[in-house]
Amino acid sequence: MEVPLWLALLAVGYLGVKLTRPPAWLIAVLLLGGFLLADSVLAPAINTFVK
């Protein structure tokens, strides 16, 4: 069974928020931080760790 990555991330994110109930500012900081890091000079270094 193949599940698209976006669907798996959505399910894990939903369950994580439902079960651990992190504050909304923490979710916003993580999302914004990931978005900003993806377009920074650190992106090639992060890409090597992700692959």
Side-chain angles (χ1 to χ4, degrees):
M1 179 173 144
E2 278 189 44
V3 177
L5 179 62
W6 64 268
L7 183 60
L9 290 176
L10 187 68
V12 168
Y14 177 77
L15 288 174
V17 168
K18 276 295 205 192
L19 295 175
T20 62
R21 302 242 183 229
W25 64 265
L26 181 60
I27 296 170
V29 166
L30 289 175
L31 288 174
L32 185 61
F35 179 76
L36 292 175
L37 276 177
D39 200 30
S40 71
V41 295
L42 297 175
I46 295 170
N47 194 22
T48 59
F49 288 114
V50 172
K51 284 187 177 183

